[in-house]
Structure formats: C-alpha cells, structure tokens
C-alpha cells in the first residue's frame, strides 16, 4: 500500500498528464492526492482513465488557480468525508477487516496574510475525529529555520504559529528520506530559494499502528514541488519473555521474606539462574 501526494502545478496539458502517469506506473500508489491541478472534474475524469484508477474525487479549480483531486483503486476501501478548496478528508482501510484510519490531503494557504486561517483549519480538522490520522500535502509553512535556503529567513512568527498548530492537533512530523527541500524557486539562479513546504504529519496512534512506515521524496522536474510517497507498514512484533525484576515494594509484604526463603530452600543444588526463575514464579 502506497500513498502519493504531489503539488503538480497543473494538469491542463498532455505533458503534465504523461509525467503523472509515468510516476504512477513506476511507484504504483493505490491513493494519489493532487494539489493545484488547475482543472475541473471533467478533465480529472480523463486523467483518471489515463492513469488507470477506479475512482476520482475532484475539487474544481477556480479559473487557472487551485484545484484538488484524489485518485484511488478499488483494492482499498476509501470514503470521502469532507472537502473544501484546501483539503480532502477521507477514511480508509487497506484490506477487509483491517483497521480504519483517517487520511487527509492538505493544502495550506500560500499567502502569509492567511497563515493563521491555515493553522485554524488544521485545528478544526483535528477536532472532527479521534481516529488514527495522517495528513499529507503542501502546508506552505516551515517548522524550523533550517528548512529554508536562500534569501531572507522565514518569519519566526510563522514558524512558531505552525509548530503550535501541529502540537495542538496532536500531530508529529514523520521523517522522509530523499531531498528535504521539496519546493524550489528560480532553480539554478543566484537568487534560488528552496523550502520544505511539503511534509507528512501523523498522530501518535497512527504512528504506533504503522510503526514500520516509510516515506520518501521523489525527483520530478515538471513541477517546482517534489512528490512525497508514504508506505504504511506495521512491523510484526514477536512475543518476548519478560525479564524478572524485583520490586522494592514487595519488602513491605509480611510474607515476602518467607516466600523467598521457602523457594530458595526448595531449589538447593540447582543452577542459580534456575533458582531465580523458580523464585520469580513463586512470588
């Protein structure tokens, strides 16, 4: 099971669709969240056919701006629960009988004047459900000053506000491998700027459920944003025998010394480790 999130910067020309189709054919994600499609649902239906998905949900672009889309296959159970110009909220399960969790494709306002609206929107989403949650997308925000290269530093109030919103939502940043600066402006020029605008946030219970999850960024020259891939993997924990640990509180029990003495006397002549194990069972 793989999820892909990408600010594709427009799907209005055949080249863009070919790039997306090649990306999907190579990585084979079962869910794809697209940002800034710049197209309507009719065009996204054509993209669905071209890429071979069974389902598509579209938030239409406004003129030649914005636009969101979610593509997914019938091999998973996905239900769209809410949407607007900035997000598509879903619940999904990977297989029949598998746990149900929440996946939100997210797009934060790019204008600094609307940053606080973005943070409040994230908080409002968090209040809607207590399900295990993963949020992927383009946040148009940074969590650290080191997540930017070039020009002036990122405004501290933006960093602090975004970090506070993430903490208020009970989310944590999921690390990914690959290049960390997912957005670039003026590539190759002396005034080039790079920022980590795209990321994956997860709740603690989702992180526990998929404690082997892997994520990475992908190189893609068509857009100024890099796609992100997420593979939710639950590690198989083998049962390990618990070690015996002595608790000092037992000394307050009247019969503790008696039980230890009887056990130790009963196992005279045996290996010391065997005697300790027998004593732990008696206690």
């Amino acid at each position: 099971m793989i999820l892909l999130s990408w600010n594709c910067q427009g799907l209005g020309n055949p080249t863009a669709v070919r790039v997306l189709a090649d990306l999907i054919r190579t990585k084979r994600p079962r869910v794809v969240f697209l940002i800034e499609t710049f197209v309507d649902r009719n065009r996204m239906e054509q993209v669905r056919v071209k890429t071979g998905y069974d389902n598509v949900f579209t938030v239409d672009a406004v003129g030649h701006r914005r636009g969101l889309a979610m593509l997914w296959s019938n091999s998973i159970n996905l239900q769209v629960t809410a949407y607007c110009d900035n997000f598509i909220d879903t619940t999904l399960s990977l297989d029949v009988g598998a746990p149900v969790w929440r996946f939100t494709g997210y797009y934060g306002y790019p204008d600094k004047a609307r940053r606080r609206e973005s943070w409040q929107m994230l908080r409002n989403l968090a209040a809607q459900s207590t399900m295990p949650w993963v949020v992927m997308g383009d946040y148009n925000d940074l969590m650290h000053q080191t997540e930017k290269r070039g020009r002036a530093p990122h405004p501290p109030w933006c960093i602090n506000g975004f970090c506070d919103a993430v903490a208020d939502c009970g989310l944590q940043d999921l690390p990914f491998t690959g290049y960390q600066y997912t957005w670039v402006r003026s590539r190759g020029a002396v005034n080039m700027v790079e920022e980590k605008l795209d990321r994956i946030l997860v709740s603690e219970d989702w992180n526990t459920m998929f404690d082997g999850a892997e994520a990475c960024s992908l190189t893609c020259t068509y857009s100024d944003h890099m796609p992100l891939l997420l593979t939710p993997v639950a590690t198989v924990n083998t049962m390990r025998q618990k070690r015996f640990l002595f608790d000092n509180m037992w000394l307050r029990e009247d019969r503790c010394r008696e039980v230890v003495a009887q056990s130790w006397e009963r196992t005279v002549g045996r290996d010391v480790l065997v005697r300790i194990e027998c004593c732990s069972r008696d206690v």
Side-chain angles (χ1 to χ4, degrees), residues 77-138:
N77 181 19
L78 184 147
Q79 300 289 328
V80 176
T81 57
Y83 67 92
C84 72
D85 288 342
N86 295 84
F87 65 80
I88 299 178
D89 197 19
T90 73
T91 59
L92 62 83
S93 58
L94 308 186
D95 299 291
V96 177
V100 179
W101 45 279
R102 185 182 181 197
F103 170 59
T104 304
Y106 184 86
Y107 178 51
Y109 289 109
D111 302 329
K112 280 190 174 62
R114 306 192 72 178
R115 286 291 197 270
R116 291 182 175 84
E117 291 181 58
S118 290
W119 306 333
Q120 189 57 46
M121 179 170 56
L122 198 60
R123 290 185 177 97
N124 292 342
L125 280 168
Q128 300 304 309
S129 172
T130 58
M131 296 177 66
W133 191 24
V134 56
V135 192
M136 292 179 69
D138 174 7

